[in-house]
Amino acid sequence: MRALLVAKGAAVVGAGGLIGSSVMFVIGARQMARRGGDCTTGCLPGYDTVESWSVGLGVVGFIAALVGMVVASVAEPGFRARWLPVFLVAGILAALWPARAVQQGLAGPSYAVGWRADEDRPETTEGLGNWQADGTVVRARADGLTGFGTRDGALRWTYTAPTRHQVCAMSTRTVGGVGLLGLGRHDKPCATVVAVRLDTGKEAWRAAIRADGYAFARTGRIALADTAAVVVEEDAVRGLAADSGAQRWKRKVAEDCEALAVDASARRALLVEECRPEILEDEATHRLIALDAATGKELWAAKLPTETRLEAMRILSTEPAVVELDEIDPRGTKAVLAFDAAGRAGASIPLEGPLGTLPPAAEAGTRPEPALFTADTLITPVSVPGESSAYWVAAFRLRDGERLWMRRIHQAVAGVVLRPDGRLAVLASDSDDANVWVKDPRTGADVHAPLPVTGKKLPLSTDMELLAVPGGYVVANRVSLYGSPPFFQIR
């Protein structure tokens, strides 16, 4: 008889374990639902299994506990009152930890928020751009630079712009741990170029340039090649030694023309030139000019398909050569244009068309939207009619503009980056959660299921950039609203 009672008590403990497991699966399912957003458009991996188990275990556990207590109490009337509740509670408590471990296993892996950099002050400060070099991520803002370690997020150094000066331009790339800044006074030209060491925040050199009022812009006015800093001046483009700031070469701009923007790769500078015979008229022509960054020698020049001045433009890439144009003429060129190594025209991808809507060309002085390039491919967020944000990522061939693939992302795309292993990482988020997709850049196929970014009160902003670093990623918040830090780590 005693053995029978022990068996029945064990059965009640097991039933309690089923109930406890159900409780943990219900909690896990709710957490996954919060991270996954609207489950009609795509839940987190394992969500359906966890939700089904939470219901099934609860129903089976409740029935088993009820039957077990009834049978046991019939066999021994005093047994229920003395021991059944204890056995039931013991079973529930004993199952909590194992059930949580099983539920997390079914939910699959995820990214967790690691370090968070100190918040900006004031909290509404807008980031002008970011650099990444030698274990440091650098945030540029109007009053200077701040460097944080990628391993621990510790503040490494700060560079403060001189009194009554502000950062008005920055190079898109860094060389040898050095980045290039433009400085200017309020409502004055961006007339000082400064090279800053990114390991210490100290100035390597500074030089004065002849900038006009139009030169007060954040991007496209200065560029850094391996051996030269290339800067746009009032009537010329100049090459300065990257290690000292001394003048290496100078290229005069033709009469009635001006240089709109410049960017550089390791050995080449790319220049967009605008010519307007009648300055008060909209009529204008444009050329894309490739220069040897070390000598200023013209390598090739390509006439751009424009007839009026530009509403907006940007150099997306120097190698390969890709620019984005938006003419003021409503029927003018509004496209991403690519050119081969000899300056021959390649792809012309409309900013808005049957293949989707690309991020709009940035106005002078604003940072570029997320986009990246392989040797022959543009990869960019894309939106479709009826969507206010980009919920797609697409790849276009630069030779002819053919769309190679287009993949749906179930949250708004915040950033794309190529990882060191050559795979494509996509950060997407909504108001309170985020996921990272890893894709094959050749096909857009998922390498594995999207992984959620978990953590208490994710420090997400409305404008983010994804940076690949050893061991994971760093997310840059360009706008620090509601206490979101300038950088945080996910791993």
Side-chain angles (χ1 to χ4, degrees):
M1 178 63 72
R2 181 177 299 276
L4 179 61
L5 292 177
V6 170
K8 291 177 178 179
V12 175
V13 171
L18 293 175
I19 295 174
S21 299
S22 174
V23 170
M24 294 310 298
F25 273 76
V26 168
I27 294 173
R30 289 192 173 188
Q31 291 175 339
M32 293 177 70
R34 285 196 296 270
R35 296 201 308 267
D38 183 1
C39 287
T40 63
T41 59
C43 296
L44 298 181
Y47 174 84
D48 292 336
T49 302
V50 171
E51 186 181 41
S52 299
W53 279 39
S54 69
V55 176
L57 289 172
V59 172
V60 173
F62 177 78
I63 294 175
L66 183 62
V67 171
M69 286 191 293
V70 169
V71 173
S73 63
V74 170
E76 179 64 40
F79 185 80
R80 180 181 61 180
R82 294 195 304 270
W83 296 109
L84 287 185
V86 175
F87 289 165
L88 188 65
V89 171
I92 292 174
L93 295 177
L96 295 180
W97 184 84
R100 180 62 169 170
V102 172
Q103 179 266 318
Q104 290 179 331
L106 290 172
S110 64
Y111 287 103
V113 174
W115 56 259
R116 307 181 187 207
D118 293 337
E119 297 175 11
D120 277 327
R121 290 292 183 271
E123 67 175 13
T124 55
T125 298
E126 180 183 1
L128 306 183
N130 306 294
W131 285 322
Q132 177 185 355
D134 299 328
T136 303
V137 286
V138 180
R139 176 179 175 87
R141 40 187 273 182
D143 57 355
L145 304 175
T146 311
F148 300 89
T150 57
R151 183 170 298 177
D152 55 10
L155 176 64
R156 288 192 171 181
W157 52 262
T158 58
Y159 169 81
T160 303
T163 302
R164 293 192 177 278
H165 285 74
Q166 58 182 304
V167 176
C168 48
M170 64 184 298
S171 59
T172 57
R173 67 193 299 264
T174 63
V175 176
V178 173
L180 206 63
L181 288 180
L183 300 176
R185 293 174 63 89
H186 174 67
D187 204 25
K188 300 292 183 181
C190 197
T192 302
V193 178
V194 177
V196 180
R197 296 187 56 84
L198 303 186
D199 56 349
T200 63
K202 303 296 184 182
E203 288 188 13
W205 54 264
R206 67 165 54 195
I209 63 174
R210 293 185 57 196
D212 60 13
Y214 180 79
F216 195 90
R218 298 175 191 167
T219 59
R221 310 304 292 178
I222 59 177
L224 189 59
D226 281 1
T227 60
V230 185
V231 299
V232 172
E233 294 190 316
E234 182 176 8
D235 56 358
V237 178
R238 266 208 295 163
L240 311 176
D243 57 357
S244 66
Q247 180 171 312
R248 288 279 185 85
W249 53 266
K250 184 174 183 179
R251 174 191 171 92
K252 293 286 290 183
V253 177
E255 188 177 356
D256 298 328
C257 299
E258 65 175 323
L260 294 185
V262 68
D263 205 354
S265 58
R267 297 178 177 83
R268 186 169 79 178
L270 207 60
L271 173 70
V272 176
E273 177 189 77
E274 179 180 80
C275 296
R276 296 172 62 187
E278 299 292 338
I279 196 65
L280 299 180
E281 302 293 334
D282 287 341
E283 182 180 350
T285 59
H286 300 84
R287 291 196 306 162
L288 182 65
I289 303 170
L291 305 176
D292 183 305
T295 64
K297 178 183 177 181
E298 182 175 308
L299 303 176
W300 52 260
K303 186 178 184 303
L304 297 176
T306 59
E307 295 181 4
T308 59
R309 63 184 177 87
L310 300 177
E311 182 76 21
M313 65 80 54
R314 54 180 170 164
I315 299 174
L316 291 176
S317 171
T318 304
E319 292 191 46
V322 185
V323 295
E324 187 172 349
L325 305 179
D326 185 356
E327 272 191 84
I328 195 169
D329 179 359
R331 296 289 295 162
T333 299
K334 301 178 187 298
V336 171
L337 307 176
F339 299 82
D340 68 11
R344 292 184 292 263
S348 178
I349 306 169
L351 296 182
E352 185 171 2
L355 300 182
T357 300
L358 278 60
E363 296 179 0
T366 62
R367 53 90 186 156
E369 293 289 340
L372 57 86
F373 297 86
T374 63
D376 59 357
T377 307
L378 160 66
I379 301 176
T380 180
V382 173
S383 59
V384 300
E387 295 180 345
S388 58
S389 299
Y391 288 91
W392 302 79
V393 176
F396 299 87
R397 190 162 53 204
L398 295 177
R399 184 177 72 248
D400 55 14
E402 179 182 347
R403 191 178 69 192
L404 301 177
W405 53 261
M406 184 169 174
R407 297 288 183 265
R408 170 77 175 179
I409 305 295
H410 297 298
Q411 292 172 302
V413 178
V416 292
V417 67
L418 282 177
R419 308 189 329 172
D421 61 7
R423 292 172 172 173
L424 172 68
V426 180
L427 174 67
S429 73
D430 54 27
S431 59
D432 57 3
D433 71 317
N435 289 268
V436 175
W437 275 254
V438 178
K439 294 181 173 292
D440 183 337
R442 297 168 300 176
T443 64
D446 289 340
V447 175
H448 54 67
L451 300 184
V453 181
T454 62
K456 185 178 180 181
K457 192 180 179 183
L458 297 182
L460 305 175
S461 180
T462 56
D463 190 357
M464 296 178 289
E465 179 181 359
L466 185 64
L467 308 173
V469 299
Y473 307 94
V474 169
V475 179
N477 284 322
R478 293 191 181 94
V479 180
S480 298
L481 296 175
Y482 312 114
S484 57
F487 296 105
F488 67 93
Q489 179 194 44
I490 54 178
R491 57 187 178 185

